Amino acid sequence: MHIEFYGATSGITGSCHILRANGHLVLLDCGLIQGRREEEAGNREPFPFSPGDISAVVLSHGHIDHSGRLPLLVKQGYQGPIYTQNATGALCEILLEDSASLQRRDAEYENKWRKRKNKPLIEPLYSIEDARNALANMVGMRYREKKEILPGISIRFQDAGHILGSSSVEVWLNESGVQRKIVFSGDLGQYDSPILNDPAVIEEADHVLIESTYGNRRHRDRQMTIDEIGEIISSASHQHGNLLIPAFSIGRSQEILYFLGKHYDEWELDRWEVFLDSPMAIKASKVYWDYPHLYDEEATRLRRNMNEMPPFKTLHLTSSVEDSMAINNIRSGAIIIAGSGMCNGGRIVHHLKRNIAREGTHIMIVGYQAYGTLGRRLVDGEEQVKIHGDFYPVRAQVHTVGGLSAHADVDDLSRWISHFRNDPAVHVVHGEAQSKQDFRDRLEGELGFRADVPEQGQELEL
Ligand SMILES: [Zn+2]
C-alpha cells in the first residue's frame, strides 16, 4: 500500500494524490493548476500515471483546483467512476462547463499571438464535451455513507464546511489482511461560517493529509466583519449611491445573500434593490437552495421562518443581458453582486465603468485579490484605473472586508486535527511553502503530532 503525493504539494492549486492498494490505483482529486502562465503550463504536461490504469477517482469538492483536470483525465482514457458528494456533483455541472469555455477562450487568445509569430497553434486543454463526459461518470454519495468502491477499498465523505458539498474523505485500505485508514482533509472551512455546518469531527486515522492554505494566518473576527458590512451599507445609503460587490459565483455570492437576508431589517434593506447579476452565481445559488438538508442550524431556522432561501424580498436574479444592462440606469439604491471576484472580467467590470467615477458609489471587496487584477488595484487605492483601454478616476469609496474566507485559518486547522486520538502521521499539503512549514512546526510543537511536508512525487509506504 502506497500513497504518492502529486499535485498541490508545491503550491496551493492542482490538488491530486494517488493511492495504490490491492493492485488498484485510486486518485484523490484531480485539480487544475492555477496561477502564473508558466505554472499553468504544467496542466499540459502528461499525468505521472496512465489515465487508463486508474480504478477509481474520489473528489473532495467542486473548486477547479480540485476538480478541473477531470475532463482531461476522461479525455485521455479514464472511463471509471468519479465518486463525490451529491451537491459537489451538482456544482461541478456549473464549474466544469465554465472551465471548458475558459479553456477554449484561453486557447483562442494564445493562438492569436502564435499565428502572428508563425508558431504551432494549440488546442484547448479540453472541450465542453469532455467536461460532460466527466460529469456523466460522477457517482453521487451522501455524507457519512460508507461504500466499498473496490475490493478492499472503502470510502466515506464527511462534511468539510468549506463550500456546499465539500468533504473530507475517509479511506480504508485492506491488503493481505492489513488495514490502513487514510483521511484526506480536502479544503476545510471556518467554524461558525454561514449556511454550512462546521467541519465534521473525525477521530481515527493512520495517516492524515491536511491542507494548509492558511497554515500560519488568522482571519479577522467574524462579528467585526458583519458589523463592518452593515456600516458600509448604511453610509452608501446616506450618500445615495450604489453598492458594488465583486464576488466569486460559488460560495461567496451565496454567503453575501445569506447575510443580507439575515440582517435585512437591521440593515434597512427594504430601501435597496439587490441584484445578483451573474448567470453562474444564479445557477450556483439554485444548487445551494436545493440542498437545505446540508445547512447548519441557523440557516435551517431562517429558511423555515421565511419559507424561502435566501430569506428576503428585494432580490432580483438578472440572468439575461438585457436585465443586466437595465441596472445601468439606476443611479442610487442598488446593491449589485457580480463576478468576477477579482474584477478581471465578467459583468462587474461594466458596473465599475458606470459607477467608479461617482462620489456616492461604494465598492465592497470581500475576497482575495491577486496581484495584477483590477480588484487588487482598487484595494491598493489607485486614484485612476484602466478599464477596457480607458482611464477612469476612482471617486468611489473602496472597502476591503476581511474575515469572509471559505478557508479554515490556523486555529480552525488546529481544532480539526486535534480531534484525532490515535496519533496518526500527519502530512501537510496544499499550501504555500512557508505556510506548510509553519503549520508542520505547530503540529510537531504544541499539538504533539508526528508531521512532515511531502515533496512533489514523494512515495510513502502505508
Ligand atoms: Zn476549495
Side-chain angles (χ1 to χ4, degrees):
M1 288 183 274
H2 278 90
I3 184 163
E4 194 177 321
F5 302 94
Y6 169 46
T9 48
S10 62
I12 60 165
T13 70
S15 176
C16 188
H17 304 287
I18 305 159
L19 290 171
R20 291 173 203 270
N22 247 1
H24 295 293
L25 198 155
V26 176
L27 219 57
L28 292 176
D29 286 353
C30 191
L32 199 71
I33 303 165
Q34 296 173 303
R36 289 190 309 251
R37 194 154 277 274
E38 311 86 273
E39 292 164 335
E40 290 189 1
N43 289 317
R44 292 185 174 270
E45 281 169 21
F47 290 110
F49 45 78
S50 164
D53 292 346
I54 298 167
S55 312
V57 176
V58 179
L59 173 64
S60 67
H61 68 290
H63 277 148
I64 287 300
D65 60 328
H66 293 256
S67 67
R69 262 193 294 178
L70 289 169
L72 185 65
L73 196 72
V74 171
K75 180 183 176 181
Q76 294 187 358
Y78 176 62
Q79 293 181 333
I82 299 168
Y83 294 100
T84 196
Q85 207 281 343
N86 288 312
T88 298
L91 288 177
C92 277
E93 287 182 23
I94 304 165
L95 280 156
L96 291 183
E97 290 201 11
D98 178 68
S99 176
S101 21
L102 284 176
Q103 296 300 335
R104 193 195 62 228
R105 269 177 275 159
D106 273 1
E108 281 168 5
Y109 180 81
E110 172 102 8
N111 284 337
K112 264 190 202 158
W113 72 260
R114 284 178 171 264
K115 237 180 217 161
R116 278 200 304 272
K117 297 196 170 175
N118 269 330
K119 297 228 177 190
L121 303 186
I122 57 160
E123 291 271 305
L125 198 59
Y126 50 80
S127 65
I128 299 250
E129 207 191 337
D130 298 322
R132 289 187 184 143
N133 290 339
L135 290 165
N137 289 359
M138 288 201 177
V139 180
M141 287 173 60
R142 291 183 310 244
Y143 284 132
R144 296 182 295 279
E145 170 192 0
K146 191 172 175 182
K147 187 183 184 101
E148 186 173 50
I149 57 167
L150 291 160
I153 303 180
S154 301
I155 61 168
R156 184 161 68 185
F157 292 104
Q158 297 279 7
D159 200 338
H162 165 63
I163 59 169
L164 195 78
S166 65
S167 304
S168 301
V169 192
E170 298 171 285
V171 187
W172 289 265
L173 304 172
N174 281 287
E175 189 178 282
S176 322
V178 181
Q179 177 169 287
R180 291 282 179 270
K181 184 183 173 195
I182 320 298
V183 172
F184 173 48
S185 72
D187 282 359
L188 293 166
Q190 294 193 57
Y191 288 82
D192 300 321
S193 57
I195 310 172
L196 304 176
N197 282 303
D198 288 345
V201 171
I202 307 174
E203 296 182 330
E204 287 195 5
D206 298 300
H207 295 268
V208 180
L209 277 63
I210 188 167
E211 65 117 333
S212 55
T213 310
Y214 291 108
N216 54 8
R217 282 171 55 187
R218 282 190 182 84
H219 297 317
R220 268 188 81 202
D221 179 73
R222 184 173 292 277
Q223 191 52 49
M224 276 165 67
T225 301
I226 292 168
D227 294 346
E228 199 180 346
I229 296 174
E231 283 158 24
I232 294 166
I233 292 174
S234 152
S235 57
S237 180
H238 286 126
Q239 292 170 14
H240 306 289
N242 290 332
L243 170 60
L244 274 51
I245 309 178
F248 299 105
S249 310
I250 294 183
R252 194 56 40 84
S253 291
Q254 292 75 35
E255 276 178 29
I256 296 290
L257 290 179
Y258 179 80
F259 282 133
L260 295 178
K262 185 178 162 195
H263 300 277
Y264 187 86
D265 294 329
E266 182 192 339
W267 293 347
E268 302 183 314
L269 286 166
D270 47 0
R271 297 176 175 199
W272 292 87
E273 300 295 326
V274 180
F275 297 90
L276 183 61
D277 189 31
S278 155
M280 193 166 159
I282 292 168
K283 281 192 221 161
S285 299
K286 289 186 174 149
V287 176
Y288 264 72
W289 316 144
D290 276 352
Y291 283 82
H293 55 288
L294 302 186
Y295 295 174
D296 66 6
E297 243 173 75
E298 183 194 72
T300 305
R301 203 167 49 239
L302 265 179
R303 180 177 176 275
R304 202 178 298 131
N305 291 347
M306 299 299 294
N307 210 16
E308 63 176 352
M309 275 299 265
F312 71 105
K313 306 156 243 175
T314 49
L315 174 65
H316 307 271
L317 305 175
T318 47
S319 279
S320 75
V321 174
E322 298 76 50
D323 287 350
S324 174
M325 281 167 61
I327 304 171
N328 285 339
N329 301 323
I330 306 176
R331 299 186 66 89
S332 80
I335 294 177
I336 306 163
I337 305 163
S340 73
M342 298 195 233
C343 312
N344 49 344
R347 290 181 177 177
I348 194 69
V349 179
H350 298 280
H351 297 301
L352 286 168
K353 280 165 82 171
R354 279 271 167 179
N355 289 280
I356 201 164
R358 288 189 191 149
E359 300 266 351
T361 300
H362 290 249
I363 301 169
M364 187 161 86
I365 304 282
V366 291
Y368 175 73
Q369 305 297 312
Y371 190 76
T373 58
L374 175 56
R376 179 60 168 264
R377 289 200 287 278
L378 293 174
V379 167
D380 288 345
E382 293 194 7
E383 286 174 11
Q384 61 167 10
V385 290
K386 199 174 179 183
I387 308 176
H388 293 160
D390 293 318
F391 281 100
Y392 294 79
V394 183
R395 298 202 188 94
Q397 290 186 51
V398 180
H399 312 267
T400 309
V401 174
L404 288 188
S405 175
H407 277 277
D409 69 4
V410 61
D411 292 335
D412 298 318
L413 293 172
S414 305
R415 181 169 162 186
W416 185 80
I417 195 79
S418 297
H419 293 297
F420 286 89
R421 293 188 305 200
N422 65 330
D423 191 30
V426 183
H427 313 290
V428 183
V429 298
H430 209 61
E432 298 293 351
Q434 193 60 50
S435 183
K436 284 192 287 199
Q437 297 297 344
D438 290 348
F439 191 57
R440 194 231 11 222
D441 292 349
R442 189 181 169 99
L443 282 164
E444 289 202 320
E446 68 195 85
L447 297 171
F449 283 94
R450 296 170 288 142
D452 65 356
V453 177
E455 295 288 321
Q456 166 97 351
Q458 186 177 324
E459 256 189 61
L460 182 84
E461 180 102 26
L462 297 171

mmCIF file of all heavy atoms in Angstrom, residues 31 111 114 157 170 187 239 261-262 282 345 383 441 454 461:
data_model
loop_
_atom_site.group_PDB
_atom_site.id
_atom_site.type_symbol
_atom_site.label_atom_id
_atom_site.label_comp_id
_atom_site.label_asym_id
_atom_site.label_seq_id
_atom_site.Cartn_x
_atom_site.Cartn_y
_atom_site.Cartn_z
ATOM 1 N N GLY A 31 -7.044 18.210 -9.746
ATOM 2 C CA GLY A 31 -7.283 19.643 -9.883
ATOM 3 C C GLY A 31 -6.436 20.315 -10.940
ATOM 4 O O GLY A 31 -5.398 19.811 -11.365
ATOM 5 N N ASN A 111 -3.546 31.519 -29.323
ATOM 6 C CA ASN A 111 -3.310 31.257 -30.748
ATOM 7 C C ASN A 111 -3.204 32.538 -31.575
ATOM 8 O O ASN A 111 -2.601 32.537 -32.632
ATOM 9 C CB ASN A 111 -4.406 30.347 -31.314
ATOM 10 C CG ASN A 111 -4.188 28.895 -30.883
ATOM 11 O OD1 ASN A 111 -3.058 28.513 -30.554
ATOM 12 N ND2 ASN A 111 -5.244 28.108 -30.871
ATOM 13 N N ARG A 114 0.397 33.307 -31.441
ATOM 14 C CA ARG A 114 1.111 32.204 -32.088
ATOM 15 C C ARG A 114 1.017 32.339 -33.613
ATOM 16 O O ARG A 114 1.973 32.100 -34.329
ATOM 17 C CB ARG A 114 0.551 30.862 -31.637
ATOM 18 C CG ARG A 114 1.002 30.490 -30.237
ATOM 19 C CD ARG A 114 0.429 29.190 -29.742
ATOM 20 N NE ARG A 114 1.076 28.801 -28.498
ATOM 21 C CZ ARG A 114 2.098 27.959 -28.415
ATOM 22 N NH1 ARG A 114 2.580 27.388 -29.496
ATOM 23 N NH2 ARG A 114 2.650 27.696 -27.232
ATOM 24 N N PHE A 157 -17.573 10.110 2.881
ATOM 25 C CA PHE A 157 -17.434 11.567 2.845
ATOM 26 C C PHE A 157 -17.948 12.171 4.148
ATOM 27 O O PHE A 157 -19.008 11.776 4.638
ATOM 28 C CB PHE A 157 -18.223 12.166 1.673
ATOM 29 C CG PHE A 157 -17.654 11.811 0.326
ATOM 30 C CD1 PHE A 157 -18.255 10.846 -0.470
ATOM 31 C CD2 PHE A 157 -16.502 12.429 -0.145
ATOM 32 C CE1 PHE A 157 -17.733 10.503 -1.707
ATOM 33 C CE2 PHE A 157 -15.972 12.101 -1.386
ATOM 34 C CZ PHE A 157 -16.588 11.131 -2.167
ATOM 35 N N GLU A 170 -12.633 9.854 4.220
ATOM 36 C CA GLU A 170 -12.020 8.734 4.937
ATOM 37 C C GLU A 170 -11.858 7.589 3.943
ATOM 38 O O GLU A 170 -12.798 7.263 3.218
ATOM 39 C CB GLU A 170 -12.923 8.276 6.075
ATOM 40 C CG GLU A 170 -13.159 9.343 7.142
ATOM 41 C CD GLU A 170 -14.232 8.911 8.134
ATOM 42 O OE1 GLU A 170 -15.417 8.950 7.766
ATOM 43 O OE2 GLU A 170 -13.879 8.516 9.257
ATOM 44 N N ASP A 187 -10.338 20.689 1.348
ATOM 45 C CA ASP A 187 -10.232 22.059 1.867
ATOM 46 C C ASP A 187 -11.199 22.179 3.032
ATOM 47 O O ASP A 187 -12.374 21.831 2.893
ATOM 48 C CB ASP A 187 -10.605 23.088 0.793
ATOM 49 C CG ASP A 187 -9.485 23.315 -0.199
ATOM 50 O OD1 ASP A 187 -8.411 22.695 -0.047
ATOM 51 O OD2 ASP A 187 -9.678 24.115 -1.138
ATOM 52 N N GLN A 239 -25.291 58.379 1.325
ATOM 53 C CA GLN A 239 -24.703 59.123 0.201
ATOM 54 C C GLN A 239 -25.440 58.861 -1.113
ATOM 55 O O GLN A 239 -24.971 59.273 -2.169
ATOM 56 C CB GLN A 239 -23.220 58.780 0.082
ATOM 57 C CG GLN A 239 -22.448 59.330 1.281
ATOM 58 C CD GLN A 239 -21.023 58.819 1.336
ATOM 59 O OE1 GLN A 239 -20.522 58.260 0.370
ATOM 60 N NE2 GLN A 239 -20.382 59.023 2.458
ATOM 61 N N GLY A 261 -30.017 38.628 3.877
ATOM 62 C CA GLY A 261 -31.309 38.136 4.360
ATOM 63 C C GLY A 261 -31.382 38.142 5.878
ATOM 64 O O GLY A 261 -32.365 38.585 6.477
ATOM 65 N N LYS A 262 -30.324 37.683 6.497
ATOM 66 C CA LYS A 262 -30.309 37.557 7.955
ATOM 67 C C LYS A 262 -30.410 38.935 8.634
ATOM 68 O O LYS A 262 -31.043 39.078 9.668
ATOM 69 C CB LYS A 262 -29.017 36.839 8.354
ATOM 70 C CG LYS A 262 -28.926 36.522 9.826
ATOM 71 C CD LYS A 262 -27.645 35.770 10.148
ATOM 72 C CE LYS A 262 -27.363 35.867 11.640
ATOM 73 N NZ LYS A 262 -25.992 35.472 11.965
ATOM 74 N N ILE A 282 -26.193 32.688 -10.186
ATOM 75 C CA ILE A 282 -27.623 32.355 -10.064
ATOM 76 C C ILE A 282 -27.801 30.834 -10.091
ATOM 77 O O ILE A 282 -28.504 30.260 -9.263
ATOM 78 C CB ILE A 282 -28.435 33.050 -11.185
ATOM 79 C CG1 ILE A 282 -28.434 34.561 -10.961
ATOM 80 C CG2 ILE A 282 -29.869 32.510 -11.253
ATOM 81 C CD1 ILE A 282 -28.954 35.380 -12.136
ATOM 82 N N GLY A 345 -12.785 40.431 -15.183
ATOM 83 C CA GLY A 345 -13.675 40.008 -16.262
ATOM 84 C C GLY A 345 -15.080 39.984 -15.703
ATOM 85 O O GLY A 345 -15.301 40.341 -14.551
ATOM 86 N N GLU A 383 -5.604 55.932 -7.780
ATOM 87 C CA GLU A 383 -6.537 57.042 -7.977
ATOM 88 C C GLU A 383 -7.227 57.004 -9.321
ATOM 89 O O GLU A 383 -8.300 57.579 -9.499
ATOM 90 C CB GLU A 383 -5.801 58.366 -7.797
ATOM 91 C CG GLU A 383 -5.521 58.608 -6.323
ATOM 92 C CD GLU A 383 -4.671 59.829 -6.078
ATOM 93 O OE1 GLU A 383 -4.471 60.611 -7.029
ATOM 94 O OE2 GLU A 383 -4.208 59.971 -4.935
ATOM 95 N N ASP A 441 5.479 22.837 11.926
ATOM 96 C CA ASP A 441 6.131 23.157 13.205
ATOM 97 C C ASP A 441 5.100 23.193 14.335
ATOM 98 O O ASP A 441 5.352 22.710 15.434
ATOM 99 C CB ASP A 441 6.844 24.516 13.118
ATOM 100 C CG ASP A 441 8.040 24.447 12.180
ATOM 101 O OD1 ASP A 441 8.424 23.318 11.785
ATOM 102 O OD2 ASP A 441 8.572 25.526 11.813
ATOM 103 N N PRO A 454 5.427 16.529 2.587
ATOM 104 C CA PRO A 454 5.914 15.685 1.484
ATOM 105 C C PRO A 454 6.329 16.513 0.272
ATOM 106 O O PRO A 454 5.752 17.561 -0.002
ATOM 107 C CB PRO A 454 4.701 14.813 1.133
ATOM 108 C CG PRO A 454 3.682 15.067 2.174
ATOM 109 C CD PRO A 454 3.993 16.364 2.828
ATOM 110 N N GLU A 461 5.202 4.442 1.945
ATOM 111 C CA GLU A 461 4.634 3.121 2.263
ATOM 112 C C GLU A 461 3.663 3.302 3.419
ATOM 113 O O GLU A 461 4.002 3.962 4.414
ATOM 114 C CB GLU A 461 5.778 2.199 2.668
ATOM 115 C CG GLU A 461 5.365 0.809 3.026
ATOM 116 C CD GLU A 461 5.648 -0.161 1.870
ATOM 117 O OE1 GLU A 461 6.549 0.123 1.067
ATOM 118 O OE2 GLU A 461 4.925 -1.146 1.794
#
